[in-house]
Amino acid sequence: MSLLAAMSSSMDDRPDLVRVDDRVLSRSRLQGLATAVADDLRGLDRVAVEATPTMETVVGVVGALRAGAAVVPVPPDAGPREREHILRDSAAQALLAPVGAAVDGSPGSGAGLPVVPVDLRRESAGTHPEPAPERTALILYTSGTTGAPKGALLSRAAIATCLDGLADAWAWTPDDLLVHGLPLFHVHGLVLGVLGPLRIGGRLHHVGRPRPERYAAAGGTLCFGVPTIWGRIAAAPAAARALRRARLLVSGSAALPTAVFDGLAGLTGHRVVERYGMTETLITVSARADGPRRPGAVGVPLPGVRTRIVDEQGHDLPSDGTAMGELLVAGPTLFDGYLNRPDADAASRTADGWFRTGDVATVGPDGWHRIVGRASTDLIKSGGYRIGAGEVEEALLAHPGVREAAVVGLPHPDLGQQVTAYVVGDGVTGPELVDFVARQLSVHKRPREVRLVDALPRNALGKVQKKRLLDG
Ligand code: MLC
Ligand code: AMP
């Protein structure tokens, strides 16, 4: 079966298969446009895509996948340093961008990357054989605790298995209209939010920016959001009430606060389905459409996924609902490793092949998982974005006026955590440093707040005590 099975084989030419903002494509047009892109990419292995929340991104990604190329989505707001890293590290051979867009395909001072235009006026009826399932579909760049983001290699088979598991868990069918407004360079918005409907057969409406009133107006049966989006919807009662007509509301990418779960239950009549996943594992655990949904808990493993919790020595802990340990996962949705990073790859798995999530969890006797927190304070989740403290610290330390920097995620009512930088500096101001970071890295990585201090708290070995910074 092809990766985008429903889009390739459906007999039913839906006039509004994909809507992004106010642009709409039928199934056959999407097919024709994507094939024109695939024709242009014939023979290429890796292609970067300027991943704006637009129809061109949908067409570009589908076209590259048809051609059998691995897609490297480039966050549109990535600063020059991050962008250069992604283009260079991935060794992308071309950059797909909307026709006429002013983009810089040059990975630094080296040879420029050819820019292949995605032109929504050009269709093709050419044929492309279905690539082998083990081929890489996506290379998604994701932050670790330190250093530059790493490219996670996701195969076509892993994505297909994940989406089929979600179709089963959520009773997702061709009758569904999926609504969301998520970025198109991560698992949530791109894999679930674009490839999902194209494999399963339902329609998609991407609302551009994820504003509550846009979710309300779109009339979806299935709605996806990160907790920040759900919190904003719960705070907009008229918009929330309009979601009563939906079939299923799904939250993921960060912990959904119980107050938001309860608020939405009251306003929409829906108990939100929460699911858990990672770039490296895709979605592994979820509540089911035909089962209970519990605030603060993320459900049971998806078909084919196995999980364990272990203590610091790697010994198994009991599934008694109280023992807390690191969550390990295994199964067919796992990634194939980090590109060019055998060291990080080896560190991310146990000797017997389980992936270490770095999340701390409990598992109940009934198989229900609760994510309690993260083992390291150096991975921050803000608005559902994963941000490595080390990367932001390095960016700050590149400023001549910064002597020391420590970045933590402080609790934030809207974003879950906010990126907060403690800085020992000479004559620098907070706003100047926020701008300085935003000029190097994606804008969501810039600190919300810079606290200028005389010294950072350190232990006897000189290591910064981040727990003390988190305690204020
Ligand atoms: C932000 N702003 C700042 C700032 N940070 N201004 C000054 N200083 C800073 N430090 C600006 C923004 O640019 C924006 O401006 C305005 O403040 C509001 O910003 P915001 O509060 O961040 O809101 P918004 O831009 O609306 O973003 C919230 C959000 C976004 C929820 C829409 O965080 C988001 O799209 N998150 C989704 C992340 C995601 O998809 N994660 C999935 C990972 S995959 P302006 O001018 O632009 O309004 C994964 C696997 C899984 O995790 O399990 O799913
Ligand atoms: P990312 O790689 O951006 O996909 O982020 C993965 C991380 O997001 C996980 O390791 C978790 O820390 C967090 N996460 C995803 N879904 C949930 C959830 N439902 N509840 C709590 N944390 C989550």
Side-chain angles (χ1 to χ4, degrees), residues 436-457:
F436 184 71
V437 173
R439 274 185 267 124
Q440 303 175 65
L441 308 177
S442 296
V443 296
H444 63 265
K445 294 183 178 172
R446 68 196 142 162
R448 293 272 159 162
E449 192 188 345
V450 176
R451 298 187 180 177
L452 295 162
V453 291
D454 293 333
L456 296 175

Side-chain angles (χ1 to χ4, degrees), residues 181-183 186-189 209-210 226 228-229 232 252-253 275-279 283 381-385 414-415 434 443 446-448:
L182 292 159
H186 283 311
V187 165
H188 200 163
R209 291 200 79 162
V226 295
T228 300
I229 296 174
R232 293 178 185 180
S253 306
R275 93 298 179 288
Y276 161 83
M278 288 186 83
T279 305
I283 309 306
K381 266 271 159 161
S382 188
Y385 284 117
D414 178 44
L415 299 167
V434 170
V443 296
R446 68 196 142 162
R448 293 272 159 162

Side-chain angles (χ1 to χ4, degrees), residues 182 214 216 269 304 357 432 454:
L182 292 159
R214 295 194 186 179
T357 66
E432 189 183 334
D454 293 333

Side-chain angles (χ1 to χ4, degrees), residues 68-150:
V71 176
V72 183
V74 180
D77 70 346
R81 197 173 98 180
E82 196 168 339
R83 192 183 167 84
E84 177 180 339
H85 167 70
I86 293 173
L87 293 177
R88 222 184 248 291
D89 186 67
S90 67
Q93 297 150 304
L95 174 67
L96 282 169
V99 67
V103 293
D104 179 10
S106 152
S109 52
L113 208 53
V115 175
V116 177
V118 179
D119 184 348
L120 298 190
R121 293 162 305 186
R122 210 158 50 84
E123 294 189 46
S124 159
T127 53
H128 291 265
E130 176 68 13
E134 61 277 8
R135 278 186 76 98
T136 302
L138 295 175
I139 305 178
L140 296 186
Y141 277 80
T142 190
S143 296
T145 52
T146 57
K150 303 187 284 287

Side-chain angles (χ1 to χ4, degrees), residues 259-275:
V260 176
F261 180 99
D262 290 342
L264 288 170
L267 290 163
T268 67
H270 291 288
R271 292 169 71 80
V272 171
V273 162
E274 194 167 354
R275 93 298 179 288

